[in-house]
Amino acid sequence: MRYRVTHTTRYRYRDMVALSYNEVRMQPRACPHQQLLASTLEISPKPSDYRLRSDFFGNRVTWFSIREPHREFAVTAISDIVVAPVPAQLDWCESADWESVKAALSADTGEAMQEARQFSLTSPYIPPSADLAEYAGASFTPGRPLIEAVHDLMQRIFRDFTFDPHFSNLATPLSEVLEHRRGVCQDFAHLAIGCIRSQGLAARYVSGYIETLPPPGVEKLIGADASHAWFSVFLPELGWLDFDPTNNQLPGDRHITVAWGRDYGDVAPLKGVIFGGQNHELTVSVSVENLEPDAVGIRGNPTSAAADNPAKIPPLNPTPPIP
């Protein structure tokens, strides 16, 4: 599948902002299944300086500062991506049992295991919890293949929890999500990761996009898609395998990966420090345009916004084709 993603984040401040420093992670990364054809980042007001780099996890990061007074600030990322079809169906029952993978993560000194081991540790948004371990226990029964156990956990989260965009925010602890059985994709990804880590296994947080469609008979609005989140679990024989508990599916060629890390804090689309501007209004717009004919996406109904008069940063060089 080939997509064009347009993601705009806009802040409006009541008071003047004198100076701001920012980091952006809104441009999809290269993956074995994903090719980034081109990407531009548009910033308004025009930044005084900016730098491109890769962070610790290999995500693409743009750092910039705005040194002129402003009451409005917008960043728009426009990216063209090709996502490869999903691989053949896995034989879940033939994967290693989860206890063996747990033991290997502790004892194996190979490079892949050492890289994965960091994702078995706690992180700021996913603290250790006896309640998470208890919830996970129903899926991680003795001798169960790891893929089967994680798939069962994904299905239980989808069945037991209600998607409620008004329930939580970044400050809502996982304990409340678990208690009230409500949340959004970010919460469900954190929940699953916390359950998996409670069993001594490695799981990471993935940010990205998924195409959505309006209800039948309603025209799709520009900006009416949304950012999305899911998780990956590490399997020694396969590497990292993605799971989407919000939609109860294994992500394929309709999921677009932007970044991954220990939790949301490592992959926030836009974060920074401002001087001044104590009160603000935030609007976010995402459009995922499927460039394939007769494409069918996943239904949803997020909200939208738009950006004006941006300053453009030069586009990326095209990435090599997917092997």
Side-chain angles (χ1 to χ4, degrees), residues 96-103 140-146 149 199 201:
D97 64 82
W98 68 268
E99 296 100 331
S100 298
V101 177
K102 175 183 177 179
F140 290 86
T141 53
R144 195 171 197 181
L146 176 56
Q199 306 303 302
L201 300 163

Side-chain angles (χ1 to χ4, degrees), residues 25-47:
R25 290 172 176 83
M26 290 164 54
Q27 296 168 290
R29 62 178 293 158
C31 303
H33 67 286
Q34 179 173 283
Q35 177 189 0
L36 179 59
L37 301 176
S39 185
T40 60
L41 197 64
E42 305 177 347
I43 302 170
S44 176
K46 184 177 180 179

Side-chain angles (χ1 to χ4, degrees), residues 245-312:
T246 304
N247 293 296
N248 193 28
Q249 62 180 241
L250 272 67
D253 59 359
R254 301 190 187 280
H255 286 69
I256 301 163
T257 300
V258 172
W260 59 61
R262 298 166 301 167
D263 56 31
Y264 174 83
D266 290 332
V267 302
L270 176 62
K271 60 183 178 181
V273 177
I274 64 171
F275 295 85
Q278 297 302 311
N279 297 282
H280 71 266
E281 174 189 343
L282 169 66
T283 55
V284 178
S285 165
V286 177
S287 291
V288 181
E289 181 183 1
N290 193 324
L291 304 180
E292 301 288 342
D294 303 320
V296 178
I298 293 177
R299 299 197 180 278
N301 56 351
T303 57
S304 64
D308 307 311
N309 192 28
K312 290 192 176 183

